[in-house]
Amino acid sequence: MSNKGKVKTQSFIIEGASCASCVNKIEKALAGVEGVTGVEMNFAQRTVTIDGDVNSHALIDSVKDIGYDATPMNSVSEQDALDEKAQADEAHYKKLMRNMVIALGLGIPLMLYGLFIGDMSVNTFNQRIGWAVVGFITLGVMIGTGKHFYFGAWQSFKNHSANMDTLIALGTGTAWAYSMLVIVAPNLLPDVARHVYFEASAMIIGLINLGLAFEVKARGRTSEAIKRLIGLQAKTARVVRNGQEQDVEIAQVQLNDIVRVRPGEKIPVDGELTDGKSTVDESMLTGEPMPVNKTVGDKVVAGSINKTGSMLFSATHVGKDTTLSHIINMVKRAQNSKPSIGRLADVISGYFVPIVMILAVIAGLAWLNFGPQPAIAYAITAITTVLIIACPCALGLATPMSVMVGVGKAAEAGVLIRNGEALQSASKITTMLLDKTGTITQGQPEVTDISTYDQRQETSVMALVASLESHSEHPLAQAIVDYAKQRNYPLSPVSEFDAITGKGVTGTLNGEHLLFGNEALMREFGIDVSLAVVQAETLANDAKTPMYFAVNQKLSALIAVSDPIKNDSLAAIKRLQNKGIHLVMLTGDNEATAKAVAQRVGIDDYIAQVMPQDKVEEVIKRQKCGEVVGMTGDGINDAPALAQADVGFAIGTGTDVAIESADVTLMRGSLHGLADALAISQATITNIKQNLFGAFIYNVAGIPIAAGVLFPFFGILLNPVVAGAAMAMSSLTVVSNANRLRFFKANKTA
């Protein structure tokens, strides 16, 4: 199992981050703190998660040193942490809206004055006095409602970098400074250039604040999956202590406490049923709609709902160790992570801002040297518009917003995606290797046929075989042992037990040497099985697994075990094939059994009698052929192949082992979960590409138009105010497009 869950983790709310280039700076600064082993910042949520044994003050100081602020998320419970973040977002939203109202409250009247009353020119002394007053009022509004932009720009300048704040500060500052120059020294400029742009500075800040406010509001909806998961947690538990039942806070439940759950109540912690029976609705965790029958000895999971009977269970996992807590933590970490396509956008953003500043200067020089009069006015307009329209805020939001919604959507379907890289790789899978037992089949084999070839009766044979197999952990061995126990066959201690990988088991009982396994095991020990070969082939052709039993080097019996195919495997496999994915079934069974199962579910490519190392080699072989390979297994036995595959899918367990070992964990035991995972992955990556395309095209197309390339042909030169509105709308468009994923539904039909 991974030790990832044991690493000390701290989370902070980041203030002042305005674009993707900020993410790079913050992650780099935090990574440089001694003791930090991992940093992941979610720009969409403005939160950062740090792994490592390090003092929180050192982390906060490192963030402040580069011009941002960090507030610890100290809450113990997930719900409190989410509430804390929601309160911070709400306060930030109100502040942005207040700033927007103030800035537009000045900018709109000035713009209307310029359109309908005056031309905002400065030619007389009285005009100079009047506009000077307006200028200082504008400065006050700019500082009061946009100081975070100017402070961020100054901090970036001190750290020899640039970000979105830099562009906004330069754009609005240039417009204001030029306007003040017109007022203070109008004689330095020709008459036609004596025009003030105070309305542009005020309205740009107002519109950008409005866009950021919309973004804060919209990104709050991307946390709905986490909110729903946290809402599954019970607040209290009814614990039996000293013979008395009492309600206690969920945090006070201890390991091995006996917990009472009545019909209709949420199960508060993970446990094992000790008394009673019931049906439990686990759909909120697994996506499986049918309630599950629970009897003594069965496991129950926190967050599921007891439907019918009252029951008692012993707490096996409490607090942060419950399956639900693992799921919540995994979803949060996955939402914070970035696929490689997102990291590329971050890198581009880091270079983008300086390039834009250079382009703005070039545009200004071009207007000064080749533009019509007043050349300087046109130059100032072009510079300001380029700086404003090029802000890469939408570019920074493009990936994290989609990842957050996509990962949350997957969690609702019972699909737990470990990180953004797995999300992206899953969308590219061309070949999927499927382990047979427990993946295509139910994973609960049953004894179906017993034939003897000596004087021993079935009772004697099965008692010996079950005694031998009681030492094995193989699923087929459990079927043998269960068969014997149900019939009260006596089990005896076996000595010299040995499990021969991929073949079977050997041991000694009452002086007799026992062998039980496949034909390869019999050949290895020189056992003649000719009497049973034809029957074994018949059983195998019927999708049963025949196994030979020998005593003292002589064939004694042939026992067949069948693992029924899951009811929905055929439909799910057709869904996967319709996506163009090549399916390969892997099994340790013999050729005939493997062929029979493969034919029943419609898989043409299968490999029988594979060892664990063979599965790894099969993954490597197909990767070398250029395939993007997925591996689906139980998360434990297939661990080497799951690790080697481009994406490993653990199916049907939902245990902490599977959650920690796989790239993707499918909480329900159905291949429809695998098809859903791939569908959600493809939809999310498509959404990211749409966002990135929109953001890139917006900037690529917007910058030349802002610089004035259309002016010689059509007389079009963008107003800086229009650029500010367009920038705000681009961010809102990206956020809205990402939120469309919340309504995505995977096509369940084949």
PDB file of all heavy atoms in Angstrom, residues 80 87 178 200 214 252 279 291 299 330 353 372 392 423 457 460 465 509 512 546 591 651 689 694 732:
ATOM      1  N   ASP A  80     -16.160  21.489   8.048  1.00  0.00           N
ATOM      2  CA  ASP A  80     -15.749  22.794   8.556  1.00  0.00           C
ATOM      3  C   ASP A  80     -14.786  23.475   7.583  1.00  0.00           C
ATOM      4  O   ASP A  80     -14.855  24.690   7.369  1.00  0.00           O
ATOM      5  CB  ASP A  80     -15.085  22.647   9.926  1.00  0.00           C
ATOM      6  CG  ASP A  80     -16.097  22.316  11.020  1.00  0.00           C
ATOM      7  OD1 ASP A  80     -17.309  22.475  10.764  1.00  0.00           O
ATOM      8  OD2 ASP A  80     -15.679  21.883  12.110  1.00  0.00           O
ATOM      9  N   GLN A  87     -17.062  30.524   3.180  1.00  0.00           N
ATOM     10  CA  GLN A  87     -17.187  31.829   3.816  1.00  0.00           C
ATOM     11  C   GLN A  87     -16.159  32.809   3.253  1.00  0.00           C
ATOM     12  O   GLN A  87     -16.470  33.982   3.008  1.00  0.00           O
ATOM     13  CB  GLN A  87     -17.017  31.687   5.328  1.00  0.00           C
ATOM     14  CG  GLN A  87     -18.188  30.980   6.006  1.00  0.00           C
ATOM     15  CD  GLN A  87     -17.899  30.668   7.457  1.00  0.00           C
ATOM     16  OE1 GLN A  87     -16.846  31.025   7.994  1.00  0.00           O
ATOM     17  NE2 GLN A  87     -18.823  29.977   8.114  1.00  0.00           N
ATOM     18  N   TYR A 178      -1.262  59.285 -18.594  1.00  0.00           N
ATOM     19  CA  TYR A 178      -1.347  60.106 -19.802  1.00  0.00           C
ATOM     20  C   TYR A 178      -2.389  61.209 -19.612  1.00  0.00           C
ATOM     21  O   TYR A 178      -2.165  62.372 -19.996  1.00  0.00           O
ATOM     22  CB  TYR A 178      -1.714  59.239 -21.000  1.00  0.00           C
ATOM     23  CG  TYR A 178      -1.964  60.052 -22.247  1.00  0.00           C
ATOM     24  CD1 TYR A 178      -0.902  60.586 -22.971  1.00  0.00           C
ATOM     25  CD2 TYR A 178      -3.261  60.312 -22.685  1.00  0.00           C
ATOM     26  CE1 TYR A 178      -1.132  61.356 -24.102  1.00  0.00           C
ATOM     27  CE2 TYR A 178      -3.496  61.082 -23.817  1.00  0.00           C
ATOM     28  CZ  TYR A 178      -2.420  61.602 -24.525  1.00  0.00           C
ATOM     29  OH  TYR A 178      -2.639  62.367 -25.646  1.00  0.00           O
ATOM     30  N   ALA A 200     -11.726  55.101 -18.851  1.00  0.00           N
ATOM     31  CA  ALA A 200     -11.167  53.792 -19.211  1.00  0.00           C
ATOM     32  C   ALA A 200     -10.541  53.126 -17.986  1.00  0.00           C
ATOM     33  O   ALA A 200     -10.772  51.941 -17.720  1.00  0.00           O
ATOM     34  CB  ALA A 200     -10.131  53.958 -20.315  1.00  0.00           C
ATOM     35  N   PHE A 214     -17.874  37.026 -10.871  1.00  0.00           N
ATOM     36  CA  PHE A 214     -18.605  35.948 -11.551  1.00  0.00           C
ATOM     37  C   PHE A 214     -17.835  34.636 -11.456  1.00  0.00           C
ATOM     38  O   PHE A 214     -18.411  33.566 -11.254  1.00  0.00           O
ATOM     39  CB  PHE A 214     -18.823  36.303 -13.027  1.00  0.00           C
ATOM     40  CG  PHE A 214     -19.907  37.314 -13.250  1.00  0.00           C
ATOM     41  CD1 PHE A 214     -19.911  38.116 -14.389  1.00  0.00           C
ATOM     42  CD2 PHE A 214     -20.940  37.472 -12.335  1.00  0.00           C
ATOM     43  CE1 PHE A 214     -20.916  39.042 -14.606  1.00  0.00           C
ATOM     44  CE2 PHE A 214     -21.946  38.406 -12.542  1.00  0.00           C
ATOM     45  CZ  PHE A 214     -21.933  39.191 -13.672  1.00  0.00           C
ATOM     46  N   GLN A 252     -15.958  11.019  18.353  1.00  0.00           N
ATOM     47  CA  GLN A 252     -15.704  10.301  19.605  1.00  0.00           C
ATOM     48  C   GLN A 252     -15.828   8.786  19.461  1.00  0.00           C
ATOM     49  O   GLN A 252     -15.579   8.045  20.405  1.00  0.00           O
ATOM     50  CB  GLN A 252     -16.677  10.792  20.681  1.00  0.00           C
ATOM     51  CG  GLN A 252     -16.493  12.256  21.050  1.00  0.00           C
ATOM     52  CD  GLN A 252     -17.546  12.741  22.031  1.00  0.00           C
ATOM     53  OE1 GLN A 252     -18.339  11.968  22.544  1.00  0.00           O
ATOM     54  NE2 GLN A 252     -17.562  14.040  22.276  1.00  0.00           N
ATOM     55  N   THR A 279     -30.609  -4.675   4.652  1.00  0.00           N
ATOM     56  CA  THR A 279     -30.155  -4.281   3.318  1.00  0.00           C
ATOM     57  C   THR A 279     -29.620  -2.856   3.435  1.00  0.00           C
ATOM     58  O   THR A 279     -30.185  -2.033   4.144  1.00  0.00           O
ATOM     59  CB  THR A 279     -31.296  -4.317   2.284  1.00  0.00           C
ATOM     60  OG1 THR A 279     -32.355  -3.482   2.734  1.00  0.00           O
ATOM     61  CG2 THR A 279     -31.788  -5.729   2.082  1.00  0.00           C
ATOM     62  N   PRO A 291     -29.786  -2.096  -3.398  1.00  0.00           N
ATOM     63  CA  PRO A 291     -29.317  -2.282  -2.021  1.00  0.00           C
ATOM     64  C   PRO A 291     -28.611  -3.633  -1.874  1.00  0.00           C
ATOM     65  O   PRO A 291     -28.918  -4.597  -2.587  1.00  0.00           O
ATOM     66  CB  PRO A 291     -30.609  -2.231  -1.192  1.00  0.00           C
ATOM     67  CG  PRO A 291     -31.590  -1.515  -2.053  1.00  0.00           C
ATOM     68  CD  PRO A 291     -31.247  -1.879  -3.457  1.00  0.00           C
ATOM     69  N   LYS A 299     -19.035  -6.529   5.864  1.00  0.00           N
ATOM     70  CA  LYS A 299     -18.505  -5.196   6.144  1.00  0.00           C
ATOM     71  C   LYS A 299     -19.531  -4.132   5.764  1.00  0.00           C
ATOM     72  O   LYS A 299     -20.248  -4.273   4.778  1.00  0.00           O
ATOM     73  CB  LYS A 299     -17.200  -4.964   5.381  1.00  0.00           C
ATOM     74  CG  LYS A 299     -16.078  -5.914   5.796  1.00  0.00           C
ATOM     75  CD  LYS A 299     -14.789  -5.582   5.087  1.00  0.00           C
ATOM     76  CE  LYS A 299     -13.676  -6.565   5.444  1.00  0.00           C
ATOM     77  NZ  LYS A 299     -13.408  -6.625   6.889  1.00  0.00           N
ATOM     78  N   MET A 330      -9.103  11.722  -1.595  1.00  0.00           N
ATOM     79  CA  MET A 330      -8.602  11.401  -2.926  1.00  0.00           C
ATOM     80  C   MET A 330      -9.200  12.321  -3.983  1.00  0.00           C
ATOM     81  O   MET A 330      -8.502  12.801  -4.887  1.00  0.00           O
ATOM     82  CB  MET A 330      -8.935   9.945  -3.256  1.00  0.00           C
ATOM     83  CG  MET A 330      -8.372   9.457  -4.577  1.00  0.00           C
ATOM     84  SD  MET A 330      -8.690   7.696  -4.771  1.00  0.00           S
ATOM     85  CE  MET A 330      -7.951   7.423  -6.372  1.00  0.00           C
ATOM     86  N   VAL A 353       3.079  36.784 -20.369  1.00  0.00           N
ATOM     87  CA  VAL A 353       2.969  38.161 -19.893  1.00  0.00           C
ATOM     88  C   VAL A 353       4.130  39.040 -20.373  1.00  0.00           C
ATOM     89  O   VAL A 353       3.905  40.140 -20.905  1.00  0.00           O
ATOM     90  CB  VAL A 353       2.823  38.205 -18.366  1.00  0.00           C
ATOM     91  CG1 VAL A 353       2.843  39.639 -17.854  1.00  0.00           C
ATOM     92  CG2 VAL A 353       1.531  37.510 -17.935  1.00  0.00           C
ATOM     93  N   PRO A 372      -1.761  58.092 -37.599  1.00  0.00           N
ATOM     94  CA  PRO A 372      -2.264  59.453 -37.853  1.00  0.00           C
ATOM     95  C   PRO A 372      -2.252  60.272 -36.571  1.00  0.00           C
ATOM     96  O   PRO A 372      -2.053  59.743 -35.483  1.00  0.00           O
ATOM     97  CB  PRO A 372      -3.704  59.194 -38.331  1.00  0.00           C
ATOM     98  CG  PRO A 372      -4.098  57.914 -37.645  1.00  0.00           C
ATOM     99  CD  PRO A 372      -2.850  57.086 -37.593  1.00  0.00           C
ATOM    100  N   PRO A 392      -4.044  36.746 -19.119  1.00  0.00           N
ATOM    101  CA  PRO A 392      -4.238  35.300 -19.310  1.00  0.00           C
ATOM    102  C   PRO A 392      -5.047  34.641 -18.201  1.00  0.00           C
ATOM    103  O   PRO A 392      -4.792  33.501 -17.833  1.00  0.00           O
ATOM    104  CB  PRO A 392      -2.795  34.774 -19.310  1.00  0.00           C
ATOM    105  CG  PRO A 392      -2.080  35.698 -18.371  1.00  0.00           C
ATOM    106  CD  PRO A 392      -2.729  37.057 -18.540  1.00  0.00           C
ATOM    107  N   LEU A 423      -6.417  11.066 -15.427  1.00  0.00           N
ATOM    108  CA  LEU A 423      -7.614  11.540 -16.127  1.00  0.00           C
ATOM    109  C   LEU A 423      -7.309  11.750 -17.603  1.00  0.00           C
ATOM    110  O   LEU A 423      -8.091  11.357 -18.477  1.00  0.00           O
ATOM    111  CB  LEU A 423      -8.090  12.850 -15.489  1.00  0.00           C
ATOM    112  CG  LEU A 423      -9.372  13.472 -16.040  1.00  0.00           C
ATOM    113  CD1 LEU A 423     -10.578  12.657 -15.610  1.00  0.00           C
ATOM    114  CD2 LEU A 423      -9.519  14.907 -15.550  1.00  0.00           C
ATOM    115  N   GLN A 457     -14.681 -41.971  -1.793  1.00  0.00           N
ATOM    116  CA  GLN A 457     -15.970 -41.344  -2.006  1.00  0.00           C
ATOM    117  C   GLN A 457     -15.810 -39.816  -2.061  1.00  0.00           C
ATOM    118  O   GLN A 457     -14.782 -39.275  -1.664  1.00  0.00           O
ATOM    119  CB  GLN A 457     -16.941 -41.724  -0.875  1.00  0.00           C
ATOM    120  CG  GLN A 457     -17.201 -43.210  -0.770  1.00  0.00           C
ATOM    121  CD  GLN A 457     -17.882 -43.760  -2.004  1.00  0.00           C
ATOM    122  OE1 GLN A 457     -18.828 -43.160  -2.508  1.00  0.00           O
ATOM    123  NE2 GLN A 457     -17.396 -44.901  -2.498  1.00  0.00           N
ATOM    124  N   SER A 460     -14.768 -38.167   1.253  1.00  0.00           N
ATOM    125  CA  SER A 460     -13.356 -38.325   1.601  1.00  0.00           C
ATOM    126  C   SER A 460     -12.474 -37.426   0.740  1.00  0.00           C
ATOM    127  O   SER A 460     -11.566 -36.750   1.229  1.00  0.00           O
ATOM    128  CB  SER A 460     -12.944 -39.788   1.427  1.00  0.00           C
ATOM    129  OG  SER A 460     -11.555 -39.932   1.611  1.00  0.00           O
ATOM    130  N   VAL A 465      -9.133 -32.460  -0.088  1.00  0.00           N
ATOM    131  CA  VAL A 465      -8.846 -31.288  -0.922  1.00  0.00           C
ATOM    132  C   VAL A 465      -9.074 -29.998  -0.130  1.00  0.00           C
ATOM    133  O   VAL A 465      -8.269 -29.055  -0.192  1.00  0.00           O
ATOM    134  CB  VAL A 465      -9.718 -31.301  -2.190  1.00  0.00           C
ATOM    135  CG1 VAL A 465      -9.497 -30.017  -2.994  1.00  0.00           C
ATOM    136  CG2 VAL A 465      -9.394 -32.501  -3.054  1.00  0.00           C
ATOM    137  N   LEU A 509      -0.726 -35.146   4.290  1.00  0.00           N
ATOM    138  CA  LEU A 509      -1.762 -35.339   5.305  1.00  0.00           C
ATOM    139  C   LEU A 509      -1.813 -36.822   5.671  1.00  0.00           C
ATOM    140  O   LEU A 509      -2.046 -37.674   4.789  1.00  0.00           O
ATOM    141  CB  LEU A 509      -3.124 -34.865   4.780  1.00  0.00           C
ATOM    142  CG  LEU A 509      -4.328 -35.060   5.698  1.00  0.00           C
ATOM    143  CD1 LEU A 509      -4.124 -34.363   7.038  1.00  0.00           C
ATOM    144  CD2 LEU A 509      -5.599 -34.546   5.027  1.00  0.00           C
ATOM    145  N   GLU A 512       0.182 -39.144   3.556  1.00  0.00           N
ATOM    146  CA  GLU A 512      -0.111 -39.215   2.127  1.00  0.00           C
ATOM    147  C   GLU A 512       0.263 -37.894   1.448  1.00  0.00           C
ATOM    148  O   GLU A 512      -0.032 -36.814   1.965  1.00  0.00           O
ATOM    149  CB  GLU A 512      -1.599 -39.504   1.897  1.00  0.00           C
ATOM    150  CG  GLU A 512      -2.030 -40.887   2.370  1.00  0.00           C
ATOM    151  CD  GLU A 512      -3.481 -41.169   2.032  1.00  0.00           C
ATOM    152  OE1 GLU A 512      -4.337 -40.339   2.397  1.00  0.00           O
ATOM    153  OE2 GLU A 512      -3.752 -42.207   1.414  1.00  0.00           O
ATOM    154  N   PRO A 546     -11.456 -26.951 -14.649  1.00  0.00           N
ATOM    155  CA  PRO A 546     -11.207 -28.294 -14.113  1.00  0.00           C
ATOM    156  C   PRO A 546      -9.864 -28.346 -13.376  1.00  0.00           C
ATOM    157  O   PRO A 546      -8.871 -27.782 -13.843  1.00  0.00           O
ATOM    158  CB  PRO A 546     -11.186 -29.169 -15.365  1.00  0.00           C
ATOM    159  CG  PRO A 546     -10.720 -28.258 -16.456  1.00  0.00           C
ATOM    160  CD  PRO A 546     -11.171 -26.870 -16.093  1.00  0.00           C
ATOM    161  N   GLU A 591      -6.706 -22.998 -21.521  1.00  0.00           N
ATOM    162  CA  GLU A 591      -7.083 -22.437 -22.822  1.00  0.00           C
ATOM    163  C   GLU A 591      -8.578 -22.601 -23.107  1.00  0.00           C
ATOM    164  O   GLU A 591      -9.245 -21.656 -23.549  1.00  0.00           O
ATOM    165  CB  GLU A 591      -6.267 -23.131 -23.923  1.00  0.00           C
ATOM    166  CG  GLU A 591      -6.652 -22.754 -25.336  1.00  0.00           C
ATOM    167  CD  GLU A 591      -6.222 -21.350 -25.727  1.00  0.00           C
ATOM    168  OE1 GLU A 591      -5.317 -20.802 -25.057  1.00  0.00           O
ATOM    169  OE2 GLU A 591      -6.805 -20.793 -26.676  1.00  0.00           O
ATOM    170  N   ILE A 651     -10.984  -2.622  -9.632  1.00  0.00           N
ATOM    171  CA  ILE A 651     -12.439  -2.722  -9.753  1.00  0.00           C
ATOM    172  C   ILE A 651     -13.072  -3.447  -8.574  1.00  0.00           C
ATOM    173  O   ILE A 651     -12.537  -4.421  -8.061  1.00  0.00           O
ATOM    174  CB  ILE A 651     -12.825  -3.445 -11.070  1.00  0.00           C
ATOM    175  CG1 ILE A 651     -14.337  -3.370 -11.312  1.00  0.00           C
ATOM    176  CG2 ILE A 651     -12.369  -4.899 -11.058  1.00  0.00           C
ATOM    177  CD1 ILE A 651     -14.746  -3.801 -12.699  1.00  0.00           C
ATOM    178  N   LYS A 689      -9.765  21.042 -23.658  1.00  0.00           N
ATOM    179  CA  LYS A 689      -9.284  21.489 -24.967  1.00  0.00           C
ATOM    180  C   LYS A 689     -10.142  22.642 -25.499  1.00  0.00           C
ATOM    181  O   LYS A 689      -9.622  23.588 -26.094  1.00  0.00           O
ATOM    182  CB  LYS A 689      -9.283  20.316 -25.955  1.00  0.00           C
ATOM    183  CG  LYS A 689      -8.208  19.273 -25.658  1.00  0.00           C
ATOM    184  CD  LYS A 689      -8.280  18.108 -26.632  1.00  0.00           C
ATOM    185  CE  LYS A 689      -7.173  17.094 -26.346  1.00  0.00           C
ATOM    186  NZ  LYS A 689      -7.254  15.921 -27.254  1.00  0.00           N
ATOM    187  N   GLY A 694     -10.382  28.193 -26.687  1.00  0.00           N
ATOM    188  CA  GLY A 694     -11.058  29.478 -26.561  1.00  0.00           C
ATOM    189  C   GLY A 694     -10.150  30.542 -25.983  1.00  0.00           C
ATOM    190  O   GLY A 694     -10.108  31.684 -26.476  1.00  0.00           O
ATOM    191  N   LEU A 732     -15.396  34.276 -17.753  1.00  0.00           N
ATOM    192  CA  LEU A 732     -16.730  33.769 -17.451  1.00  0.00           C
ATOM    193  C   LEU A 732     -17.119  32.651 -18.424  1.00  0.00           C
ATOM    194  O   LEU A 732     -17.739  31.659 -18.033  1.00  0.00           O
ATOM    195  CB  LEU A 732     -17.751  34.908 -17.527  1.00  0.00           C
ATOM    196  CG  LEU A 732     -19.192  34.558 -17.117  1.00  0.00           C
ATOM    197  CD1 LEU A 732     -19.236  34.063 -15.684  1.00  0.00           C
ATOM    198  CD2 LEU A 732     -20.094  35.766 -17.297  1.00  0.00           C
TER     199      LEU A 732
END
